[in-house]
Amino acid sequence: MIRTPDQRVRVFVSSTLAELAAERQAVGAAISQLRLTPVLFELGARPYPPRDLYRAYLRQSDVFIGIYAESYGWIAPGMEISGLEDEYRLSAGKPRLIYTKEAARREPRLTSLLEAIRAEGVVSYRHFEDAAELGRLVADDLAILLTERFVSPPVAPPTAPLPAMRWPLVDRVEELQVVTGLLRQADVGLVTLTGPGGVGKTSLALAAGHEVAGEFADGAAFVSLETLTDGAPIRDTVIQQLRIPVAPGQTLEESLLAFFGPRQMLLVLDNVEQLLAAAPLAEQILAQAPGLEGAGDQS
């Protein structure tokens, strides 16, 4: 999602400049009252920008709002559709809010466009009578959209907390200081403990995790990879043990990134040698989730 430097969501409003002036003003006011940024072509240098210009505006916007009444709009030389229809087509992939005003003489091509939009069944499509009603509808619909699409979900505590230490750590004071020191460094995203089996790598990792867990806003979590025989199920195992929700239409990788992205937490992986086959995914997660830090042990 592209945002302005002050992190405001940009809302593109369709370019019917010759009509609906009062309605466009009401929409712009509703957008601004929500502390969002309206993208209106009245702000441009030309009465009707060429295709390259409104394509650039659309590319930099997060939400598309279409308001329509009677006019289909001007068809530029060399084009088969109006800029109004072209804008709608170019907004594919963005959330769309469509509003239509009752009109006694709606142009046939606009009627066909609106019928096609309704037939898609994937956009919000509402009628309005005047500018005041339109402003209220836009404000309400944008507030709901922001809640559903742009507001990060509340960060929940880890569902796989660190296991309790069964025995005290013996003769590992120096090693513990080294590991916790690394975990506290802002430029360290991954700490790996290596050594032969049975020397206490898991115990050291858990002791370090317990010591620094309170310094991470979202705590620490533990994932065991002991039963895995290759790298393929690692992604699935992490999702299962942390109970990471997978939204409809998301890949498992996208769900992992969406989960870890807003969090500041420590993830302790046991038997991390299983992670080697998934190194590209681990690198991607660490790059896109700056608040995540990993600690693990491998033989």
Side-chain angles (χ1 to χ4, degrees):
M1 183 173 65
I2 303 172
R3 295 177 182 269
T4 58
D6 58 359
Q7 296 300 300
R8 292 185 181 182
V9 174
R10 296 169 59 95
V11 183
F12 181 97
V13 182
S14 60
S15 306
T16 48
L17 300 187
E19 62 176 345
L20 300 172
E23 286 80 0
R24 288 170 58 78
Q25 184 177 4
V27 171
I31 294 169
S32 298
Q33 287 171 4
L34 290 171
R35 297 186 179 276
L36 312 180
T37 299
V39 180
L40 298 159
F41 280 132
E42 287 86 346
L43 303 179
R46 304 181 183 184
Y48 197 94
R51 190 171 192 267
D52 288 345
L53 185 53
Y54 62 71
R55 174 182 287 179
Y57 277 120
L58 273 166
R59 189 168 51 245
Q60 297 175 50
S61 299
D62 307 299
V63 179
F64 176 85
I65 289 181
I67 53 174
Y68 310 103
E70 297 181 353
S71 175
Y72 175 72
W74 177 63
I75 301 177
M79 292 187 64
E80 297 181 355
I81 59 176
S82 71
L84 200 67
E85 180 171 352
D86 195 37
E87 288 172 351
Y88 179 79
R89 293 186 182 185
L90 292 171
S91 69
K94 301 179 186 295
R96 291 161 162 171
L97 303 175
I98 305 301
Y99 304 90
T100 62
K101 186 176 183 178
E102 293 299 328
R105 297 182 179 181
R106 183 169 289 149
E107 294 180 3
R109 292 200 65 172
L110 179 58
T111 298
S112 298
L113 172 61
L114 295 178
E115 289 175 351
I117 292 174
R118 291 196 67 176
E120 291 177 3
V122 295
V123 299
S124 171
Y125 191 103
R126 306 184 70 174
H127 298 283
F128 68 94
E129 293 185 0
D130 54 32
E133 181 185 13
L134 177 61
R136 291 192 296 270
L137 291 175
V138 169
D140 291 344
D141 293 343
L142 278 176
I144 294 173
L145 179 65
L146 290 172
T147 301
E148 294 178 345
R149 303 289 290 269
F150 296 115
V151 176
S152 299
V155 175
T159 56
L162 298 179
M165 295 288 294
R166 295 188 177 183
W167 299 281
L169 200 63
V170 179
D171 295 332
R172 291 294 183 88
V173 175
E174 292 184 4
E175 291 91 336
L176 182 60
Q177 290 178 344
V178 171
V179 175
T180 55
L182 290 171
L183 293 175
R184 290 185 172 109
Q185 291 185 23
D187 59 345
V188 174
L190 179 65
V191 177
T192 304
L193 307 182
T194 62
V199 299
K201 298 184 300 297
T202 298
S203 297
L204 178 57
L206 288 176
H210 279 291
E211 185 163 326
V212 302
E215 301 173 27
F216 290 80
D218 302 305
F222 179 85
V223 172
S224 175
L225 306 177
E226 184 176 5
T227 61
L228 301 186
T229 57
D230 56 59
I234 291 173
R235 173 194 58 200
D236 308 62
T237 300
V238 173
I239 287 177
Q240 180 181 11
Q241 293 192 27
L242 295 183
R243 300 178 187 175
I244 296 175
V246 179
Q250 274 190 335
T251 65
L252 296 183
E253 286 85 354
E254 290 170 341
S255 297
L256 281 172
L257 292 171
F259 177 82
F260 287 122
R263 287 166 168 78
Q264 183 191 18
M265 66 181 297
L266 173 67
L267 180 62
V268 179
L269 294 165
D270 195 25
N271 289 282
V272 77
E273 66 270 14
Q274 305 290 347
L275 188 60
L276 297 180
L281 176 60
E283 183 178 2
Q284 183 183 15
I285 292 174
L286 288 171
Q288 297 189 32
L292 175 69
E293 188 159 351
D297 65 83
Q298 68 176 71
S299 300

